[in-house]
């Protein structure tokens, strides 16, 4: 594991621990305020914070279990465990946060909610919660900005291509929490101004929809990582160019990459070697090129190189079906 990976993992742990502690404290405050006032929006926010706290537990589990070394049963390591537990965290946000908020909102609109009262306590809790959530959000943003700059990517491009779902989960979760607090504040304030509980119910429904949307975004990210997403375009291009420049290789016929975990990339490539090379020359070239790739690209941890003829029709059709015109350029002599 590289020093950069260790630093990233340590900061991810700090981000998750900070978010977990903040969410637990906020959940208790919101629950007390919700019980005292009977506010559906406040109870929805309490459920939101409880879901967020459980999410941090799942993310800590992801960080711990994904760092285990490879063994006989899992020769490529346990990196994808981070994606599995992060996916469960997204499900948690939806199941325990969004569904409860939607239930509270609909119950309030239908007149089945508990009797509500307005209290300065609600506003105090929301204000304190906003400050605490803001602290956690700043840490998540700081980590994301630092890592995006280290990879020379824009903030949004980095979020789209990120291979560590933990800071993204905390960032989205805290962003939703801050928006949810503003929605709850508006719902409680409008309820106090108009005397109508409808606003409180609407606020709960908006919070529920917001959490469902965040859960969808995080679920989609982790689904792609679990299925097996290719490495970043920069790594793919770099590996292809490195192989193409090797004197022993006449053409890169096929190149497949897959994220095996955070900062762990598997490279499988089929290349057409110079036909004048002996079997020993090809073997030595494969070993050398694999070492060069793992040395040049910190994220590349496994490399498999297979010698093939570029003229094989079945292989050519398979590669063209996967990559289209790009493969044509690879196969051009």
């Amino acid at each position: 594991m590289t020093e950069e990976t260790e630093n990233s993992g340590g900061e991810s742990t700090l981000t998750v621990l900070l978010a977990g502690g903040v969410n637990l404290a906020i959940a208790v405050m919101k629950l007390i305020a919700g019980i005292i006032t009977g506010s559906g929006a406040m109870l929805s926010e309490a459920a939101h914070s409880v879901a967020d706290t459980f999410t941090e537990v799942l993310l800590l589990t992801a960080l711990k279990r994904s760092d285990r070394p490879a063994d006989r049963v899992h020769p490529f390591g346990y990196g994808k465990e981070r994606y599995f537990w992060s996916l469960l965290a997204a499900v948690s946000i939806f199941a325990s946060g969004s569904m409860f908020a939607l239930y509270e909102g609909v119950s309030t609109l239908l007149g089945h909610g508990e009797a509500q009262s307005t209290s300065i306590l609600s506003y105090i809790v929301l204000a304190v919660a906003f400050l605490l959530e803001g602290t956690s959000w700043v840490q998540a943003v700081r980590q994301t900005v630092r890592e995006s700059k280290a990879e020379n990517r824009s903030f949004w491009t980095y979020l789209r291509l990120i291979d560590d779902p933990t800071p993204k989960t905390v960032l989205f979760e805290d962003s939703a929490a801050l928006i949810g607090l503003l929605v709850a504040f508006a719902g409680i304030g409008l309820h106090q101004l108009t005397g109508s509980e409808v606003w409180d119910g609407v606020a709960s429904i908006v919070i529920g929809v917001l959490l469902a949307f965040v859960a969808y975004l995080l679920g989609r990210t982790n689904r792609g990582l679990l299925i097996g997403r290719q490495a970043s375009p920069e790594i793919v291009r770099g590996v292809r160019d490195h192989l193409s420049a090797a004197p022993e290789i006449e053409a890169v016929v096929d190149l497949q990459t897959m994220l095996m975990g955070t900062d762990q990339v598997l490279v499988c490539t089929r290349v057409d070697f110079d036909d004048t090379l002996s079997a020993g020359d090809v073997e030595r070239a494969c070993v050398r090129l694999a070492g060069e790739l793992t040395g040049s690209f910190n994220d590349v941890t496994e490399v498999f190189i297979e010698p093939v003829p570029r003229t094989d029709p079945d292989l050519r059709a398979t590669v063209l079906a996967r990559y289209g015109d790009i493969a044509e350029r690879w196969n051009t002599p």
Side-chain angles (χ1 to χ4, degrees), residues 226-301:
L226 275 173
I227 292 172
R229 200 181 72 194
Q230 76 164 3
S232 68
E234 292 81 5
I235 290 180
V236 174
R237 285 194 298 267
V239 169
R240 183 195 64 209
D241 293 343
H242 190 97
L243 293 172
S244 298
E248 300 92 342
I249 293 177
E250 293 189 346
V252 176
V253 181
D254 191 11
L255 176 60
Q256 296 172 267
T257 63
M258 183 168 64
L259 293 174
M260 300 300 297
T262 299
D263 300 326
Q264 300 176 37
V265 174
L266 169 68
V267 173
C268 298
T269 182
R270 297 183 175 99
V271 299
D272 188 357
F273 282 98
D274 185 343
D275 291 338
T276 62
L277 297 175
S278 67
D281 292 334
V282 171
E283 290 173 348
R284 285 187 289 273
C286 288
V287 173
R288 191 194 82 246
L289 289 169
E292 290 175 355
L293 290 176
T294 55
S296 300
F297 304 94
N298 291 331
D299 289 355
V300 174
T301 54

Side-chain angles (χ1 to χ4, degrees), residues 11-12 14-19 56 59 132-148 155 158-159 162 164-175 178:
E11 188 164 17
S12 292
L14 172 63
T15 300
V16 172
L17 285 172
L18 178 60
E56 310 314 331
L59 292 180
L132 293 176
E133 288 284 7
T135 302
S136 176
W137 182 82
V138 167
Q139 167 61 23
V141 170
R142 183 183 294 118
Q143 178 181 353
T144 305
V145 169
R146 184 181 298 113
E147 292 178 357
S148 64
F155 183 84
Y158 177 75
L159 276 181
I162 193 170
D164 183 0
T166 50
K168 182 175 182 177
T169 300
V170 174
L171 178 61
F172 279 29
E173 173 187 281
D174 287 346
S175 298
L178 291 174

Side-chain angles (χ1 to χ4, degrees), residues 49-126:
S49 294
V50 169
D52 287 351
T53 303
F54 186 60
T55 295
E56 310 314 331
V57 174
L58 293 173
L59 292 180
L60 285 174
T61 303
L63 292 171
K64 179 69 175 178
R65 295 184 63 85
S66 64
D67 283 341
R68 290 181 295 168
D71 54 31
R72 182 177 60 184
V73 178
H74 296 88
F76 290 104
Y78 292 82
K80 286 195 174 184
E81 280 225 44
R82 187 171 299 199
Y83 307 150
F84 170 75
W85 291 101
S86 296
L87 179 62
L88 290 186
V91 174
S92 166
I93 292 174
F94 177 77
S96 57
S98 176
M99 296 303 293
F100 181 84
L102 291 171
Y103 169 78
E104 277 293 324
V106 172
S107 295
T108 300
L109 291 179
L110 295 178
H112 300 317
E114 297 182 4
Q116 300 178 21
S117 62
T118 56
S119 170
I120 190 64
L121 176 63
S122 296
Y123 298 110
I124 294 175
V125 168
L126 290 176

Side-chain angles (χ1 to χ4, degrees), residues 41 101 104-106 108-109 116 197-206:
E104 277 293 324
V106 172
T108 300
L109 291 179
Q116 300 178 21
E197 296 180 356
V198 169
W199 295 109
D200 199 77
V202 170
S204 294
I205 292 176
V206 171

